[in-house]
Amino acid sequence: MKIVIRTCLAVAAALTALPVAAQISDGVVKLGVINDQSGPYSSLTGPGAVLAAKIAVEDLKPQLGDIKVEMLTADHQNKPDVGSAIVKRWFDVEKIDAVVDVSNSSVALAVQSLIRERNKVALYGIVGTTELTGRQCAATGFSWVHDAYALVSGPTKTLTRGASDTWYFVGADFEFGKNMVKVAKTLVADHGGRTLGEIFHPMSELDYSSYLLQAKSSQATFVAFANAGSQLVNTMKQWQEFGMQDGRQKPIATLLSIADVHAAGLDVMQGLTATTAWYWNLNDDTRAFAHRFFERFKAMPTESQAGMYSAVTHYLKAVIATRSDATDTVVRWMRATPVNDMFARNARLREDGKLAHDFLLVSVKSKAESKAPWDYYRIDAVVPASDAFLPLDASDCPLVAGAAKSR
C-alpha cells in the first residue's frame, strides 16, 4: 500500500511540475491579426494594430514564461470573401486560437459565422455594424473598441435638442456606412431632431463634390459623415474647398481617428466633432503607452490600435490565469474578469460581447489651440458606458434574450 501511495504521489508531483506550455494545444498560442493593411482604413488599424498586438505579447512575456505565442498577419482588402478565406485557412490549417482586429463590418460578419462554427475567439476592433453584437452575436466574439451606436450616441444625444436641429448624412456605401446612418437617424428622431436627407458614395470614391453640394443645399444644421480614413480626409478637404467652414453647418464625423487629423492637418479638420473610444493625451497611462508606441511607429496610436493592445492583453492574461488556450475556458475567464488598463477602466464584457467602457466627445482643435505635435483634440465631455451603448434590455442578441428570460 505504501508503495502504491508513493507511486501515486510521484505521478501527481510530476504532473504538477509539467511546464505551463504542456497545457496549451499544439504547444503554442496562435493569434491571427487581419485588417486593412493598405487601403482607406489602414491608418486607423493596419500595421499599427499589428504592432500594438506585438507590444502586448512582449509586455506579458515575464508572465507567459514558457508559453509560446505566434502571430500571423493578413490583409483582407475590405473584401468579405477574401477575409473569410484567409480566416478559414487559419482555423483549418494554421490552427490559430483567436482572430484579432478585422475592423471591417462586412468581413467581421463573415468571421463571426466562422468562429461560431469552429468555437474560436474573435477580438474585434473598429467594427461599426451593430449586427455583430445584435442578431448575429456569438458567445466567443468580442467588440472591443466601438460600434455604430456608441459612435453616434455622443454627438446625436448631446447636439440634438429639438426640431430645429436638422441632420444630413453622407455615408460610405457598404455595411458600416449604412448601419451608422440607420442608427444615427433613429437617435436623432428619439431626441426630437429631424433628418433632411442621406446619400451614399462608393468605397473607392475620390470626388465628393456632388455629395457635399447636396448636403449644403439641404441647409441642415449638422452634416454627419459615415465614412472614415482617407475617405473622411478627402471629404473634409473638399468641405474646405467649397467654403463650408463658414460655420453655417457643423461637420460631424461618425468615425474619427487621430491619424485622419494628422493626415489632413488642423486647418482642414478644425471644428470637426466626433466620439472616440480613446485618446493618447488623456492621462499619464495613455501617454506612457503612446510614447512607447510612437518610438517604434513614428505616429501616435489610434483608438483601434490601443484597443487591440488591450484586447490581446486581456486574452493572454486569460491564457496565463487558466493555463489553457481552450476556447470555453479562456472565454469564461475573460467574461468574469474586468478590464483595467490604459484603454479602459473597470470595463466588463457584456452578454452581447461588447466591452462596456466610457467614450469621449471631442472636437478638433485649431492650430492656435494645439500646444504640441499630435495635440489635436479638445475633450468636450465624457460619455459614460451606460449612455454610450445600446441598453441590454433593448438588444436583439439571442444570448441576452436567453439570459433575460431566465431572470
Side-chain angles (χ1 to χ4, degrees):
M1 180 63 75
K2 289 181 180 178
I3 293 173
V4 172
I5 291 172
R6 279 198 297 270
T7 302
C8 290
L9 289 174
V11 172
L15 289 173
T16 304
L18 283 174
V20 173
Q23 312 300 317
I24 304 298
S25 61
D26 304 321
V28 60
V29 177
K30 286 191 175 182
L31 307 175
V33 184
I34 183 168
N35 57 27
D36 179 354
Q37 289 280 307
S38 56
Y41 305 133
S42 57
S43 62
L44 281 72
T45 60
V50 176
L51 174 60
K54 288 180 178 177
I55 295 174
V57 176
E58 292 167 7
D59 286 353
L60 286 174
K61 194 153 188 151
Q63 294 98 303
L64 284 165
D66 59 357
I67 299 176
K68 187 179 178 182
V69 179
E70 292 182 359
M71 189 178 300
L72 305 178
T73 63
D75 185 348
H76 56 44
Q77 304 172 44
N78 294 302
K79 298 176 181 177
D81 56 339
V82 172
S84 181
I86 291 170
V87 173
K88 190 178 294 184
R89 176 174 53 80
W90 278 355
F91 286 151
D92 297 344
V93 179
E94 304 292 347
K95 306 300 181 185
I96 70 163
D97 299 293
V99 183
V100 179
D101 199 9
V102 187
S103 297
N104 175 288
S105 294
S106 299
V107 179
L109 291 174
V111 170
Q112 191 85 319
S113 296
L114 291 173
I115 66 166
R116 193 182 292 111
E117 291 170 3
R118 289 163 171 77
N119 193 34
K120 298 289 187 178
V121 174
L123 308 169
Y124 299 109
I126 53 169
V127 175
T129 178
T130 53
E131 286 286 300
L132 193 70
T133 52
R135 286 182 295 178
Q136 299 191 47
C137 66
T140 59
F142 302 112
S143 176
W144 217 264
V145 181
H146 64 224
D147 64 11
Y149 188 98
L151 287 174
V152 302
S153 62
T156 53
K157 290 180 180 180
T158 303
L159 300 174
T160 306
R161 297 180 176 86
S164 61
D165 290 324
T166 53
W167 293 71
Y168 190 93
F169 295 94
V170 177
D173 192 12
F174 75 118
E175 179 66 26
F176 163 79
K178 291 179 178 179
N179 186 250
M180 193 74 75
V181 171
K182 178 182 177 181
V183 173
K185 286 170 61 179
T186 299
L187 288 171
V188 167
D190 288 346
H191 288 77
R194 292 181 295 136
T195 296
L196 300 184
E198 63 191 72
I199 191 168
F200 295 92
H201 61 76
M203 280 281 290
S204 58
E205 187 63 82
L206 295 175
D207 182 3
Y208 297 89
S209 56
S210 63
Y211 309 102
L212 290 173
L213 290 174
Q214 291 187 59
K216 185 175 183 178
S217 65
S218 75
Q219 299 184 22
T221 312
F222 305 105
V223 178
F225 302 112
N227 55 18
S230 59
Q231 298 169 342
L232 178 63
V233 169
N234 288 332
T235 302
M236 288 304 297
K237 285 179 178 178
Q238 290 173 39
W239 173 278
Q240 183 187 45
E241 290 169 6
F242 289 140
M244 295 177 73
Q245 285 186 329
D246 57 10
R248 295 182 183 181
Q249 294 174 296
K250 184 169 181 57
I252 309 294
T254 58
L255 174 54
L256 177 64
S257 163
I258 197 168
D260 301 335
V261 181
H262 189 73
L266 292 176
D267 284 343
V268 172
M269 305 294 266
Q270 66 180 10
L272 186 63
T273 294
T275 299
T276 184
W278 185 85
Y279 178 43
W280 76 268
N281 203 19
L282 180 64
N283 56 47
D284 289 344
D285 289 340
T286 59
R287 284 187 285 271
F289 170 76
H291 288 303
R292 284 200 299 140
F293 183 92
F294 185 89
E295 287 177 4
R296 296 168 65 169
F297 200 65
K298 305 309 175 189
M300 286 300 181
T302 65
E303 64 277 23
S304 184
Q305 291 157 355
M308 290 305 90
Y309 172 90
S310 173
V312 171
T313 297
H314 195 66
Y315 175 83
L316 291 178
K317 281 182 177 179
V319 171
I320 293 165
T322 62
R323 301 167 66 89
S324 172
D325 63 350
T327 296
D328 294 344
T329 301
V330 169
V331 165
R332 273 196 301 272
W333 189 95
M334 291 177 67
R335 286 184 174 275
T337 308
V339 175
N340 274 298
D341 55 27
M342 60 81 203
F343 179 77
R345 296 292 186 192
N346 297 315
R348 286 191 174 272
L349 287 165
R350 304 193 328 175
E351 293 161 284
D352 58 1
K354 291 185 177 78
L355 180 69
H357 57 82
D358 296 343
F359 281 75
L360 303 170
L361 184 67
V362 301
S363 297
V364 178
K365 293 180 176 181
S366 65
K367 275 189 174 179
E369 292 175 292
S370 178
K371 304 303 180 186
W374 296 90
D375 174 31
Y376 295 156
Y377 290 167
R378 179 178 65 251
I379 299 173
D380 298 326
V382 175
V383 183
S386 56
D387 289 339
F389 291 100
L390 180 74
L392 269 176
D393 59 11
S395 174
D396 54 5
C397 167
L399 299 172
V400 176
K405 288 175 184 177
S406 65
R407 283 196 289 267

